[in-house]
Amino acid sequence: MTLILVLVVGGVIGWLASIVMRTDAQQGILLNIVVGIVGALIAGVLITPLIGGAPITSGTFDFMSLLASFLGAVVLLAIINLFRRGSVR
């Protein structure tokens, strides 16, 4: 059941991050899920030690973990945009 929750929440977080970074038209639902989950992994390494909490990949779904995963997904999309377009947005 936790795997299904991680996929659904990861998809929503990836979709919201793609809207913020203006890459929503280029991504489908599968890529949104991947961005959300990889963003949560990035959050577990970089962002969670700074703001506290745990990433959604650990199975905790509180506000701090959702915020950290969202920020990780935005960081991931910013890095991808930097290499693709030469700018963050």
Side-chain angles (χ1 to χ4, degrees):
M1 188 67 172
T2 304
L3 178 64
I4 294 171
L5 279 172
V6 168
L7 291 175
V8 169
V9 173
V12 170
I13 287 174
W15 174 64
L16 291 174
S18 69
I19 289 174
V20 168
M21 295 302 291
R22 297 184 186 136
T23 60
D24 191 38
Q26 303 165 357
Q27 297 179 189
I29 189 166
L30 184 65
L31 199 54
N32 281 336
I33 293 171
V34 170
V35 165
I37 292 174
V38 173
L41 292 174
I42 290 172
V45 174
L46 298 177
I47 299 171
T48 302
L50 298 175
I51 65 172
I56 62 167
T57 53
S58 67
T60 58
F61 295 103
D62 58 353
F63 179 73
M64 291 303 286
S65 64
L66 294 175
L67 178 66
S69 298
F70 174 73
L71 292 175
V74 169
V75 166
L76 174 66
L77 288 176
I79 292 169
I80 290 172
N81 284 342
L82 187 64
F83 284 110
R84 277 183 152 178
R85 299 179 188 165
S87 67
V88 174
R89 279 200 170 183

